[in-house]
Amino acid sequence: MSVYNGERFLASAIESILKQTFADFEFLIVDDGSVDRSAQIVADFAARDARIRPIIRENRGLIVSLNEMIAEARAPIVARMDADDLSYPDRFTRQYAFLNEHPDYGVVGSWSEDIDEAGRPMQRTGADHPLTHEDMLRAITAGEQLICHPAAMYRKNVVLSVGGYHAAFRHCEDLDLWLRLASVTRMGNIGERLLRYRRYPGQVSSRHSTEQQIGTAIARLAWQERQAGRPDPTASLERLPPMSALDELFGHPGLSRQVREQVALGLRYSASALRDDGFDLLVNHLRDGGRQDGMWRTVARLLRYGEPVRAFRLAATLALVRAA
């Protein structure tokens, strides 16, 4: 578990791990330079339970923290957990048994239950994650969800064999890892809800929605290059380039425009993205003659989100594009 200013939900997340029915584990927790009470909360729990190994240091970012913990882990099996979610008590038991029974699988996740800030169940709208490796490969091709990151358990040596988490893919580091692992091991999910996944406006995936969607699109491009037997141009990058540089990076003319359209159309449904720089990306996409699918509904959505100025700007852009 990596923690950065996570005091709000941290204690309950830690307790959900300490209550696992499978109790023979070490619990690595990195406090990644928090300025709230997170480090103290971790230290207090570590003083009461010897299974916790705290690493409290300056901020280096999530990907550095994840790779650090994998390197530090003494067990051959690693379970992921986030500081704002809750694991059901039998999560480790069920996943560890699965990996023992399926030695050809290097990663196993589980279905999850969405909860709100108060821990109340939320209605799910998306499909559940794929179960078998064959289902996983079909989901990759279709651009669907693969494994819920905080619900994942994997073999340490398999993850290290592909270089761990790649620095360039901030906020979608898990997808990039799953896509690279899909070529070297089998992956799947247990069809039970073993994790309670918390959704709220302040979570990382909400605050970085635009960057996450851009990274997701590039991760899938890199997967396509590897599938075609070509070198992955993102493999050694510390940071992803701007979308305008993708034609040159991948050597495929028109790729930048294609990715921008894909991302712009995906941002239509994200309140956080429409409130940040994702909105300008969407407007520029329209001004350059991009697809207008569902954009008038996005105007209405902006009004519901309490963004009348942006709703007016989008409506004016659509009117100008139509007049041209």
Side-chain angles (χ1 to χ4, degrees), residues 96-112:
Y96 188 72
F98 180 95
L99 290 176
N100 280 337
E101 294 164 8
H102 300 84
D104 53 337
Y105 273 72
V107 187
V108 63
S110 78
W111 288 351
S112 59

Side-chain angles (χ1 to χ4, degrees), residues 75-122:
I77 303 294
V78 174
R80 274 285 293 118
M81 181 62 181
D82 280 344
D84 49 6
D85 297 326
L86 300 169
S87 286
Y88 277 105
D90 60 343
R91 177 192 159 193
F92 286 4
T93 296
R94 297 286 293 113
Q95 291 182 303
Y96 188 72
F98 180 95
L99 290 176
N100 280 337
E101 294 164 8
H102 300 84
D104 53 337
Y105 273 72
V107 187
V108 63
S110 78
W111 288 351
S112 59
E113 172 192 354
D114 289 348
I115 58 174
D116 66 12
E117 294 174 274
R120 296 171 299 219
M122 297 176 67

